[in-house]
Amino acid sequence: MTRENEETTAARRLHGPTGLDQNLTVGETSRNYEEKQKCFQAQYKNLGEMRTEDAVLSENIADNIAIGVAHKAWRKNNDLGKTLLPGLGLDPEKAFFVAYAQNWCALSKATSGTHSVEKLRVLGPLQNSAAFSEAFSCPY
């Protein structure tokens, strides 16, 4: 995901991809979005995120969207089925999520700008992923 695509969700919601002033969520859609935001804030607070700025929330929402989009694209091009990958003992579905988590391995445990620490960038999106829950047979 490019930096341009990671601009705050709130700004995109109010200005759209063209930057023109237009509220893209109104009425019930806006209320539903705001309720979802509250759920994300509560979830990430329970995971240990103490910062409550809109930019941090927007980045966490973007991470959740990104893993879903990436998985959908990967699945569309994956024809390995449930074959175990040699040396890993994982089927391709599980290997996708392990690779996602390993991508966020870092020596630094400090927050970085508007992003949560790496651990939360793994835990949050994977807790919210039905595909992850299905792959590892855990409750969703």
Side-chain angles (χ1 to χ4, degrees), residues 11-26:
R12 280 196 311 266
R13 189 171 79 128
L14 297 176
H15 301 291
T18 64
L20 298 176
D21 189 12
Q22 57 183 343
N23 190 348
L24 299 177
T25 56
V26 294

Side-chain angles (χ1 to χ4, degrees), residues 69-79 82 93 96-97 131 134-135:
V69 170
H71 182 259
K72 185 176 180 179
W74 173 84
R75 187 178 262 179
K76 183 178 178 181
N77 294 303
N78 171 29
D79 62 351
K82 292 287 184 184
E93 197 76 20
F96 172 87
F97 291 109
E134 181 183 321

Side-chain angles (χ1 to χ4, degrees), residues 21-61:
D21 189 12
Q22 57 183 343
N23 190 348
L24 299 177
T25 56
V26 294
E28 186 176 345
T29 301
S30 185
R31 286 188 296 279
N32 288 341
Y33 180 81
E34 289 163 5
E35 287 299 314
K36 293 285 187 181
Q37 282 183 311
K38 290 176 187 175
C39 291
F40 275 106
Q41 282 179 322
Q43 176 191 20
Y44 277 81
K45 182 177 180 182
N46 287 338
L47 290 172
E49 177 60 77
M50 302 315 295
R51 298 174 304 149
T52 58
E53 296 90 8
D54 285 343
V56 175
L57 173 62
S58 294
E59 292 295 347
N60 290 336
I61 292 171

Side-chain angles (χ1 to χ4, degrees), residues 122-139:
V122 173
L123 293 177
L126 293 185
Q127 281 183 354
N128 296 328
S129 170
F132 173 83
S133 295
E134 181 183 321
F136 286 92
S137 302
C138 54

